[in-house]
């Protein structure tokens, strides 16, 4: 049997530390002396060393207790701690890039950048961007289609952003929370949705949005290869999706009509421009966005046969 002082000396900690863990039930005493002093058994030293190791990893006292009671809890607790540390590191990297963004610029630029960055949480949240898409998409789309579109369209914040990426994300966030979008672009005003979303045009939006990803993937391959817009498999797929959504056939007349129907949408073009900037790594090129693929395909509609 060891006294509290002897156990503390063996473990290289203070008596106060041993008492702290004992009082919280992590280090049970084996007995009490005649004078009421704590006594610890031979396994107490190993248990105390394990407690110290777990606490060195910043595990909270309740989690340490769970591991001591059930060793198989350790893997889940460590995984949770790793997620928490990752989140804190992401927040610190974001803060560092945001602070660097405020250097080497004019006073006017600094004030504007501070306003933009200050409106974004740390680490950044994409809730407002997802809400923008749920508002922008046509009404009564199946939830699975909406979820798929949002998952593809909302850019994840970079884990280790550059100042330029922080600025692009802040501008994107500022863009999607503007009053015309918050109020809802379905209001039928100048801020309304594109023609293909409008009721009475004959479109079946679910068919359209379920089929477009395949056309975009084919166009993305052409963008990767640096090819200019042209007729081919990607365009055929794109036209077929629109024809199916309208219960039409793919004819030369339909393609001419479709070319005029799919006019550029400046707001969405701006969205995809900012998204591309968010996704652009310090070196190399990002994957083409759905917006870039859509622009390529619309240009291909006007390409000579």
């Amino acid at each position: 049997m060891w006294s509290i002082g002897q156990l503390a000396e063996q473990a290289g900690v203070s008596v106060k530390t041993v008492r702290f863990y004992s009082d919280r039930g992590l280090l049970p005493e084996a007995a009490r002396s005649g004078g009421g002093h704590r006594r610890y058994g031979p396994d107490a030293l190993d248990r105390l060393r394990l407690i110290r190791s777990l606490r060195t990893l910043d595990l909270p006292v309740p989690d340490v207790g769970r591991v001591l009671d059930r060793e198989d809890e350790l893997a889940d607790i460590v995984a949770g701690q790793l997620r928490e540390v990752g989140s804190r590191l992401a927040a610190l990297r974001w803060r560092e890039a945001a602070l660097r963004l405020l250097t080497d610029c004019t006073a006017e630029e600094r004030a504007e950048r501070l306003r933009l960055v200050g409106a974004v949480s740390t680490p950044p949240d994409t809730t407002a961007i997802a809400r923008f898409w749920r508002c922008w998409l046509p009404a009564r789309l199946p939830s699975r289609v909406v979820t798929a579109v949002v998952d593809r369209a909302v850019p994840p914040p970079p884990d280790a952003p550059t100042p330029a990426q922080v600025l692009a994300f802040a501008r994107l966030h500022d863009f999607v929370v503007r009053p015309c979008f918050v109020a809802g672009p379905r209001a039928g005003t100048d801020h309304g949705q594109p023609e293909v979303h409008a009721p009475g045009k004959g479109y079946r939006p679910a068919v359209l949005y379920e089929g477009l990803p395949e056309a975009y993937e084919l166009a993305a391959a052409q963008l990767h290869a640096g090819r200019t817009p042209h007729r081919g498999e990607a365009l055929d797929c794109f036209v077929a999706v629109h024809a199916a959504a309208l219960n039409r056939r793919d004819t030369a007349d339909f393609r001419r009509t479709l070319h005029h129907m799919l006019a550029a949408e400046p707001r969405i073009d701006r969205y995809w421009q900012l998204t591309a900037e968010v996704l652009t790594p310090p070196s190399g090129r990002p994957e083409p966005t759905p917006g870039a693929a859509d622009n390529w395909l619309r240009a291909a509609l006007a390409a000579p046969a």
Side-chain angles (χ1 to χ4, degrees):
M1 290 291 182
W2 281 333
S3 69
I4 190 171
Q6 290 170 327
L7 178 59
E9 183 179 358
Q10 288 292 324
V13 300
S14 67
V15 169
K16 183 178 179 181
T17 296
V18 177
R19 186 176 291 113
F20 174 85
Y21 294 135
S22 292
D23 290 345
R24 278 153 184 78
L26 301 182
L27 191 64
E29 57 199 57
R32 290 266 178 166
S33 68
H37 298 295
R38 306 178 200 227
R39 291 290 184 264
Y40 297 91
D43 60 342
L45 181 59
D46 286 341
R47 189 176 178 91
L48 180 54
R49 285 172 173 162
L50 176 58
I51 293 170
R52 293 288 293 162
S53 295
L54 295 171
R55 291 291 289 153
T56 299
L57 296 173
D58 275 344
L59 262 65
V61 170
D63 285 345
V64 172
R66 286 170 55 197
V67 174
L68 293 172
D69 292 338
R70 289 188 56 184
E71 193 171 329
D72 57 0
E73 292 276 341
L74 180 59
D76 288 341
I77 290 173
V78 169
Q81 286 291 301
L82 281 172
R83 287 191 295 270
E84 182 181 337
V85 169
S87 179
R88 277 187 276 167
L89 286 174
L92 287 172
R93 287 192 289 263
W94 186 269
R95 284 177 56 194
E96 180 186 24
L99 289 169
R100 293 188 184 282
L101 180 65
L102 300 177
T103 62
D104 299 327
C105 58
T106 66
E108 292 78 10
E109 289 174 326
R110 187 172 295 113
E112 175 64 7
R113 291 178 179 187
L114 190 57
R115 180 190 70 81
L116 291 169
V117 172
V120 178
S121 61
T122 303
D125 185 275
T126 58
T127 301
I129 304 175
R131 185 168 54 243
F132 160 81
W133 277 102
R134 294 180 187 280
C135 187
W136 178 265
L137 290 170
R140 294 182 294 280
L141 267 184
S143 59
R144 58 182 172 75
V145 177
V146 173
T147 299
V149 172
V150 170
D151 287 346
R152 285 191 299 269
V154 176
D159 289 331
T162 64
Q165 287 175 306
V166 168
L167 182 58
F169 189 93
R171 284 175 171 161
L172 182 62
H173 180 273
D174 182 66
F175 177 77
V176 300
V177 298
R178 291 177 184 175
C180 62
F181 294 135
V182 174
R186 298 187 185 125
T189 66
D190 290 341
H191 297 300
Q193 292 178 298
E195 185 175 358
V196 297
H197 290 186
K201 298 295 181 180
Y203 261 99
R204 293 184 294 167
V207 174
L208 178 68
Y209 280 98
E210 280 188 301
L212 283 175
E214 182 181 357
Y216 289 162
E217 286 181 14
L218 293 170
Q222 301 298 313
L223 284 163
H224 264 306
R227 298 193 179 99
T228 58
H230 61 274
R231 305 290 178 94
E233 182 184 12
L235 181 61
D236 290 345
C237 181
F238 183 67
V239 174
V241 169
H242 279 277
L246 281 165
N247 284 316
R248 299 273 298 275
R249 290 174 51 246
D250 179 3
T251 64
D253 182 61
F254 176 73
R255 291 196 176 205
R256 284 192 294 270
T257 301
L258 186 63
H259 173 62
H260 293 295
M261 182 181 284
L262 300 180
E265 171 47 64
R267 287 166 297 172
I268 292 299
D269 284 346
R270 177 60 175 159
Y271 175 93
W272 289 119
Q273 176 191 347
L274 291 170
T275 297
E277 292 176 16
V278 171
L279 298 176
T280 299
S283 60
R285 295 185 305 170
E287 291 295 313
T289 65
D294 191 77
N295 288 341
W296 190 95
L297 289 162
R298 285 190 291 104
L301 267 175

